[in-house]
Amino acid sequence: MEYKNIVVAGGGVLGSQIAFQTAYSGYNVTIWLRSEGSIGRCQPKIDALRRTYLDTLEAMKTDPAAYAYGLLPKDGVTPEACDAAKERVEAAYRGLKLTCSYEEAFADADLVIESIAENPEQKIAFYTEMAGHLPEKTVVVTNSSTMLPSTFASYTGRPEKYLALHFANEIWAHPAAEIMPHAGTDMAYFDEVVAFAESIRMVPLKVMKEQPGYLLNSLLVPFLSAAQGLWAAGIGSVEDIDRAWKLGTGVPLGPFQILDVVGLTTAYNIVMMKPEAKDPDSLVARIGALLKEKIDAGETGVAAGKGFYTYR
Protein backbone atom coordinates (compact mmCIF):
# COMPACT_ATOMS: atom_id res chain seq x y z
CA MET A 1 0.00 0.00 0.00
CA GLU A 2 1.23 3.49 -0.79
CA TYR A 3 1.00 5.67 2.31
CA LYS A 4 -0.35 9.19 2.12
CA ASN A 5 -1.89 10.14 5.49
CA ILE A 6 0.43 9.74 8.47
CA VAL A 7 -0.54 10.24 12.11
CA VAL A 8 2.06 10.69 14.83
CA ALA A 9 0.61 10.03 18.28
CA GLY A 10 2.53 12.15 20.76
CA GLY A 11 4.30 15.48 20.37
CA GLY A 12 7.34 15.07 22.59
CA VAL A 13 10.95 15.47 21.52
CA LEU A 14 10.90 12.59 19.03
CA GLY A 15 7.22 12.72 18.14
CA SER A 16 7.50 16.31 16.94
CA GLN A 17 10.67 15.51 14.97
CA ILE A 18 9.10 12.46 13.31
CA ALA A 19 6.08 14.51 12.33
CA PHE A 20 8.12 17.37 10.92
CA GLN A 21 10.49 15.15 8.94
CA THR A 22 7.55 13.20 7.53
CA ALA A 23 5.74 16.39 6.52
CA TYR A 24 8.98 17.73 5.00
CA SER A 25 9.08 14.56 2.92
CA GLY A 26 5.70 15.36 1.38
CA TYR A 27 3.18 13.38 3.44
CA ASN A 28 -0.05 14.66 4.97
CA VAL A 29 0.77 14.62 8.68
CA THR A 30 -1.40 14.96 11.77
CA ILE A 31 -0.09 14.97 15.33
CA TRP A 32 -2.54 13.49 17.83
CA LEU A 33 -2.18 14.83 21.36
CA ARG A 34 -3.99 14.06 24.60
CA SER A 35 -5.32 17.54 25.36
CA GLU A 36 -5.38 21.18 24.37
CA GLY A 37 -2.58 21.69 26.88
CA SER A 38 -0.50 19.11 25.04
CA ILE A 39 -1.10 21.02 21.80
CA GLY A 40 0.17 24.16 23.49
CA ARG A 41 3.33 22.36 24.59
CA CYS A 42 3.90 20.77 21.18
CA GLN A 43 3.58 23.87 19.01
CA PRO A 44 6.80 25.53 20.26
CA LYS A 45 8.68 22.35 19.37
CA ILE A 46 7.31 22.56 15.82
CA ASP A 47 8.24 26.25 15.66
CA ALA A 48 11.79 25.43 16.76
CA LEU A 49 12.11 22.60 14.20
CA ARG A 50 11.09 24.96 11.40
CA ARG A 51 13.89 27.32 12.44
CA THR A 52 16.41 24.47 12.79
CA TYR A 53 15.64 23.10 9.33
CA LEU A 54 15.84 26.53 7.71
CA ASP A 55 19.09 27.43 9.48
CA THR A 56 20.66 24.08 8.63
CA LEU A 57 19.79 24.41 4.96
CA GLU A 58 21.24 27.92 4.87
CA ALA A 59 24.45 26.71 6.53
CA MET A 60 24.70 23.78 4.11
CA LYS A 61 25.13 26.22 1.22
CA THR A 62 28.66 27.08 2.35
CA ASP A 63 29.68 24.69 5.14
CA PRO A 64 30.09 20.98 4.33
CA ALA A 65 30.20 20.21 8.07
CA ALA A 66 26.60 21.40 8.38
CA TYR A 67 25.32 18.64 6.08
CA ALA A 68 22.25 16.77 7.33
CA TYR A 69 21.35 13.52 5.55
CA GLY A 70 17.63 13.90 6.20
CA LEU A 71 17.37 17.16 4.29
CA LEU A 72 19.08 16.50 0.95
CA PRO A 73 21.26 13.94 -0.84
CA LYS A 74 24.89 14.90 -0.30
CA ASP A 75 25.67 15.02 -4.02
CA GLY A 76 22.68 17.30 -4.57
CA VAL A 77 23.59 20.12 -2.20
CA THR A 78 23.61 23.39 -4.13
CA PRO A 79 22.39 26.85 -3.11
CA GLU A 80 19.42 26.36 -5.43
CA ALA A 81 18.57 22.96 -3.96
CA CYS A 82 18.82 24.37 -0.43
CA ASP A 83 16.45 27.20 -1.30
CA ALA A 84 13.98 24.76 -2.84
CA ALA A 85 14.21 22.62 0.29
CA LYS A 86 13.44 25.69 2.40
CA GLU A 87 10.15 25.97 0.52
CA ARG A 88 9.41 22.36 1.52
CA VAL A 89 10.14 23.28 5.14
CA GLU A 90 7.61 26.10 5.00
CA ALA A 91 5.04 23.85 3.32
CA ALA A 92 5.55 21.21 6.01
CA TYR A 93 5.15 23.81 8.75
CA ARG A 94 1.93 25.15 7.26
CA GLY A 95 0.50 21.71 6.57
CA LEU A 96 1.02 20.04 9.96
CA LYS A 97 -2.22 19.49 11.87
CA LEU A 98 -2.43 19.18 15.65
CA THR A 99 -5.53 17.69 17.22
CA CYS A 100 -6.71 15.86 20.33
CA SER A 101 -9.68 14.29 18.48
CA TYR A 102 -9.43 10.56 17.82
CA GLU A 103 -11.98 10.85 15.01
CA GLU A 104 -10.19 13.67 13.23
CA ALA A 105 -6.75 12.11 13.58
CA PHE A 106 -7.32 8.44 12.78
CA ALA A 107 -10.35 8.18 10.48
CA ASP A 108 -8.28 8.04 7.25
CA ALA A 109 -4.83 7.11 8.56
CA ASP A 110 -2.60 4.96 6.37
CA LEU A 111 0.14 4.75 9.01
CA VAL A 112 0.11 5.59 12.72
CA ILE A 113 3.43 6.17 14.48
CA GLU A 114 2.91 5.89 18.24
CA SER A 115 5.40 8.02 20.17
CA ILE A 116 3.75 8.55 23.56
CA ALA A 117 5.36 8.19 26.98
CA GLU A 118 7.31 5.03 27.86
CA ASN A 119 4.53 3.90 30.17
CA PRO A 120 2.84 0.57 29.41
CA GLU A 121 -0.50 1.49 31.00
CA GLN A 122 -0.72 4.69 28.95
CA LYS A 123 0.19 2.84 25.76
CA ILE A 124 -2.42 0.14 26.37
CA ALA A 125 -5.12 2.73 27.05
CA PHE A 126 -4.17 4.60 23.88
CA TYR A 127 -4.13 1.53 21.64
CA THR A 128 -7.41 0.24 23.04
CA GLU A 129 -9.20 3.52 22.32
CA MET A 130 -7.49 4.12 18.97
CA ALA A 131 -8.42 0.65 17.66
CA GLY A 132 -12.06 1.65 17.46
CA HIS A 133 -11.30 4.64 15.23
CA LEU A 134 -8.97 3.11 12.63
CA PRO A 135 -9.94 2.01 9.13
CA GLU A 136 -9.00 -1.53 8.14
CA LYS A 137 -6.09 -0.32 5.96
CA THR A 138 -4.07 1.30 8.75
CA VAL A 139 -0.63 0.02 9.72
CA VAL A 140 0.50 0.89 13.25
CA VAL A 141 4.09 1.19 14.48
CA THR A 142 5.55 2.04 17.86
CA ASN A 143 8.55 4.28 18.43
CA SER A 144 9.00 2.82 21.92
CA SER A 145 12.63 2.86 22.97
CA THR A 146 12.58 -0.09 25.35
CA MET A 147 9.30 -2.04 25.16
CA LEU A 148 8.62 -4.89 22.75
CA PRO A 149 5.81 -4.67 20.18
CA SER A 150 4.52 -8.10 21.22
CA THR A 151 3.55 -6.52 24.58
CA PHE A 152 0.95 -4.34 22.88
CA ALA A 153 0.06 -6.13 19.63
CA SER A 154 -3.26 -7.54 20.81
CA TYR A 155 -4.49 -4.11 21.97
CA THR A 156 -4.13 -2.59 18.50
CA GLY A 157 -6.85 -4.77 16.97
CA ARG A 158 -4.48 -5.57 14.07
CA PRO A 159 -1.46 -7.46 15.40
CA GLU A 160 -0.41 -8.57 11.91
CA LYS A 161 -0.13 -4.89 10.91
CA TYR A 162 1.77 -3.83 14.01
CA LEU A 163 5.54 -3.53 14.49
CA ALA A 164 8.22 -1.16 15.77
CA LEU A 165 9.81 1.79 13.98
CA HIS A 166 12.34 3.50 16.21
CA PHE A 167 14.15 6.77 15.47
CA ALA A 168 17.24 8.41 16.92
CA ASN A 169 17.11 11.96 18.25
CA GLU A 170 17.69 14.83 15.79
CA ILE A 171 16.51 12.63 12.97
CA TRP A 172 17.34 15.11 10.22
CA ALA A 173 21.03 14.64 11.10
CA HIS A 174 21.00 11.14 12.67
CA PRO A 175 18.83 9.19 10.23
CA ALA A 176 18.75 5.75 11.88
CA ALA A 177 15.34 4.05 11.59
CA GLU A 178 15.18 0.67 13.30
CA ILE A 179 12.37 -1.58 12.05
CA MET A 180 11.47 -4.58 14.22
CA PRO A 181 8.56 -7.04 13.86
CA HIS A 182 7.02 -9.27 16.52
CA ALA A 183 6.23 -12.93 15.92
CA GLY A 184 2.75 -12.12 14.59
CA THR A 185 3.74 -9.35 12.16
CA ASP A 186 2.94 -10.01 8.51
CA MET A 187 6.32 -9.33 6.89
CA ALA A 188 4.63 -7.63 3.95
CA TYR A 189 3.98 -4.73 6.33
CA PHE A 190 7.56 -4.91 7.60
CA ASP A 191 8.67 -4.31 4.00
CA GLU A 192 6.19 -1.43 3.65
CA VAL A 193 7.58 0.26 6.74
CA VAL A 194 11.15 -0.19 5.47
CA ALA A 195 10.13 1.55 2.25
CA PHE A 196 8.38 4.32 4.20
CA ALA A 197 11.53 4.93 6.27
CA GLU A 198 13.56 5.30 3.09
CA SER A 199 10.96 7.69 1.66
CA ILE A 200 11.47 10.13 4.55
CA ARG A 201 15.26 9.99 4.07
CA MET A 202 16.01 7.63 6.93
CA VAL A 203 18.43 4.70 6.78
CA PRO A 204 16.46 1.51 7.58
CA LEU A 205 18.13 -0.80 10.10
CA LYS A 206 16.39 -4.17 10.10
CA VAL A 207 16.07 -5.86 13.49
CA MET A 208 14.97 -9.36 12.57
CA LYS A 209 14.10 -10.63 16.07
CA GLU A 210 12.47 -8.82 18.98
CA GLN A 211 15.16 -7.26 21.13
CA PRO A 212 14.55 -4.78 23.96
CA GLY A 213 16.34 -1.63 22.88
CA TYR A 214 16.68 -2.70 19.22
CA LEU A 215 20.26 -2.20 18.01
CA LEU A 216 21.04 1.37 19.10
CA ASN A 217 19.55 1.36 22.59
CA SER A 218 20.91 -2.12 23.31
CA LEU A 219 24.23 -0.31 23.19
CA LEU A 220 23.13 3.07 24.59
CA VAL A 221 20.97 2.17 27.63
CA PRO A 222 23.65 0.18 29.51
CA PHE A 223 26.07 3.06 28.88
CA LEU A 224 23.63 5.63 30.31
CA SER A 225 22.76 3.32 33.20
CA ALA A 226 26.42 2.98 34.11
CA ALA A 227 26.82 6.77 34.14
CA GLN A 228 23.74 7.22 36.33
CA GLY A 229 25.03 4.54 38.69
CA LEU A 230 28.35 6.38 39.11
CA TRP A 231 26.43 9.60 39.83
CA ALA A 232 23.91 8.09 42.25
CA ALA A 233 26.63 6.26 44.17
CA GLY A 234 28.58 9.50 44.61
CA ILE A 235 31.57 8.17 42.70
CA GLY A 236 31.80 11.07 40.26
CA SER A 237 30.06 14.34 39.48
CA VAL A 238 27.86 14.76 36.44
CA GLU A 239 30.46 17.06 34.90
CA ASP A 240 33.43 14.77 35.52
CA ILE A 241 31.62 11.66 34.30
CA ASP A 242 30.79 13.50 31.09
CA ARG A 243 34.36 14.79 30.79
CA ALA A 244 35.76 11.28 31.31
CA TRP A 245 33.70 9.91 28.44
CA LYS A 246 34.34 12.80 26.05
CA LEU A 247 38.07 12.95 26.72
CA GLY A 248 38.43 9.20 26.47
CA THR A 249 36.48 8.73 23.26
CA GLY A 250 36.56 12.06 21.44
CA VAL A 251 32.77 12.21 21.10
CA PRO A 252 30.95 15.55 21.47
CA LEU A 253 28.42 14.58 24.18
CA GLY A 254 28.76 12.86 27.52
CA PRO A 255 26.08 10.57 28.98
CA PHE A 256 24.34 13.27 31.02
CA GLN A 257 24.23 15.60 28.05
CA ILE A 258 22.61 12.74 26.12
CA LEU A 259 20.13 12.19 28.97
CA ASP A 260 19.17 15.88 28.80
CA VAL A 261 18.42 15.46 25.09
CA VAL A 262 16.45 12.25 25.63
CA GLY A 263 14.56 13.81 28.54
CA LEU A 264 14.70 12.90 32.21
CA THR A 265 11.08 11.73 32.27
CA THR A 266 11.90 9.04 29.72
CA ALA A 267 15.03 8.12 31.67
CA TYR A 268 13.00 7.87 34.89
CA ASN A 269 10.33 5.66 33.30
CA ILE A 270 13.02 3.29 32.00
CA VAL A 271 14.70 3.10 35.40
CA MET A 272 11.46 2.45 37.26
CA MET A 273 10.58 -0.49 35.01
CA LYS A 274 13.58 -2.40 36.36
CA PRO A 275 12.67 -4.99 39.04
CA GLU A 276 15.43 -3.64 41.31
CA ALA A 277 13.58 -0.31 41.55
CA LYS A 278 11.14 -1.95 44.00
CA ASP A 279 13.92 -2.27 46.57
CA PRO A 280 14.28 1.19 48.16
CA ASP A 281 17.84 0.38 49.23
CA SER A 282 19.02 -0.50 45.73
CA LEU A 283 21.19 1.72 43.54
CA VAL A 284 18.48 1.62 40.87
CA ALA A 285 15.92 3.03 43.34
CA ARG A 286 18.42 5.73 44.30
CA ILE A 287 18.83 6.69 40.63
CA GLY A 288 15.03 6.86 40.29
CA ALA A 289 14.70 9.05 43.39
CA LEU A 290 17.35 11.49 42.16
CA LEU A 291 15.77 11.71 38.71
CA LYS A 292 12.35 12.26 40.32
CA GLU A 293 13.75 15.18 42.32
CA LYS A 294 14.88 16.86 39.13
CA ILE A 295 11.62 16.11 37.32
CA ASP A 296 9.59 17.55 40.22
CA ALA A 297 11.73 20.69 40.03
CA GLY A 298 10.88 21.03 36.32
CA GLU A 299 14.43 20.11 35.29
CA THR A 300 13.48 17.58 32.63
CA GLY A 301 16.15 18.28 30.02
CA VAL A 302 16.88 20.41 26.99
CA ALA A 303 13.20 20.93 26.12
CA ALA A 304 12.60 22.47 29.56
CA GLY A 305 15.71 24.64 29.43
CA LYS A 306 17.34 22.76 32.30
CA GLY A 307 18.20 19.19 33.19
CA PHE A 308 21.63 18.17 34.35
CA TYR A 309 22.79 21.34 32.58
CA THR A 310 21.18 24.73 31.94
CA TYR A 311 20.21 25.64 28.36
CA ARG A 312 18.60 29.05 28.75
Side-chain angles (χ1 to χ4, degrees):
M1 181 178 73
E2 184 175 341
Y3 300 153
K4 180 180 178 184
N5 301 317
I6 313 298
V7 180
V8 178
V13 172
L14 263 175
S16 57
Q17 292 180 23
I18 296 164
F20 202 93
Q21 181 68 27
T22 304
Y24 172 77
S25 301
Y27 290 92
N28 300 326
V29 181
T30 298
I31 304 177
W32 176 88
L33 297 147
R34 291 183 180 279
S35 65
E36 292 295 334
S38 298
I39 291 176
R41 289 186 291 273
C42 179
Q43 187 60 53
K45 297 184 182 75
I46 300 300
D47 297 343
L49 286 166
R50 170 184 172 271
R51 188 73 264 155
T52 295
Y53 275 51
L54 291 174
D55 289 349
T56 302
L57 285 163
E58 184 63 28
M60 282 168 55
K61 291 180 179 179
T62 56
D63 181 5
Y67 176 70
Y69 180 97
L71 301 187
L72 285 171
K74 196 163 191 176
D75 60 2
V77 176
T78 64
E80 294 76 16
C82 290
D83 285 337
K86 285 184 179 182
E87 294 179 8
R88 289 165 53 197
V89 172
E90 298 291 16
Y93 181 74
R94 291 191 302 270
L96 272 172
K97 300 173 186 174
L98 280 64
T99 182
C100 50
S101 165
Y102 279 92
E103 292 81 4
E104 182 179 354
F106 301 110
D108 194 27
D110 295 315
L111 176 68
V112 173
I113 304 171
E114 175 267 305
S115 189
I116 66 175
E118 292 287 83
N119 179 301
E121 289 78 18
Q122 289 184 26
K123 288 184 187 291
I124 288 169
F126 166 73
Y127 286 133
T128 302
E129 177 63 31
M130 179 188 66
H133 299 274
L134 293 177
E136 192 278 332
K137 65 177 180 176
T138 311
V139 176
V140 181
V141 297
T142 179
N143 181 54
S144 174
S145 297
T146 57
M147 289 179 270
L148 298 176
S150 58
T151 305
F152 307 104
S154 63
Y155 299 101
T156 68
R158 58 198 63 226
E160 76 286 354
K161 295 180 181 176
Y162 178 65
L163 60 155
L165 172 60
H166 180 251
F167 297 86
N169 190 51
E170 297 187 349
I171 66 175
W172 62 91
H174 306 132
E178 297 174 289
I179 300 101
M180 181 174 72
H182 63 92
T185 302
D186 183 331
M187 294 303 284
Y189 300 110
F190 179 91
D191 293 340
E192 285 186 6
V193 173
V194 168
F196 167 75
E198 291 176 329
S199 77
I200 62 170
R201 290 202 54 77
M202 296 293 104
V203 178
L205 304 173
K206 299 177 183 179
V207 186
M208 302 312 297
K209 295 181 180 180
E210 278 197 318
Q211 164 66 29
Y214 311 80
L215 304 178
L216 176 59
N217 281 331
S218 291
L219 301 169
L220 180 62
V221 170
F223 160 63
L224 297 179
S225 295
Q228 292 172 88
L230 292 170
W231 166 59
I235 294 170
S237 69
V238 164
E239 293 78 11
D240 279 347
I241 295 167
D242 274 358
R243 286 191 194 104
W245 186 254
K246 290 190 289 183
L247 289 171
T249 64
V251 297
L253 297 179
F256 291 98
Q257 291 172 300
I258 294 171
L259 283 163
D260 274 353
V261 173
V262 171
L264 272 62
T265 300
T266 296
Y268 174 78
N269 288 336
I270 291 170
V271 166
M272 297 311 291
M273 283 190 293
K274 297 180 179 180
E276 308 96 288
K278 295 178 181 178
D279 177 2
D281 296 324
S282 70
L283 182 61
V284 171
R286 174 66 176 156
I287 294 169
L290 288 170
L291 289 172
K292 187 67 162 54
E293 287 178 11
K294 296 186 74 63
I295 292 166
D296 289 346
E299 300 172 3
T300 57
V302 172
K306 187 173 183 181
F308 290 102
Y309 297 90
T310 299
Y311 299 92
R312 291 194 179 96

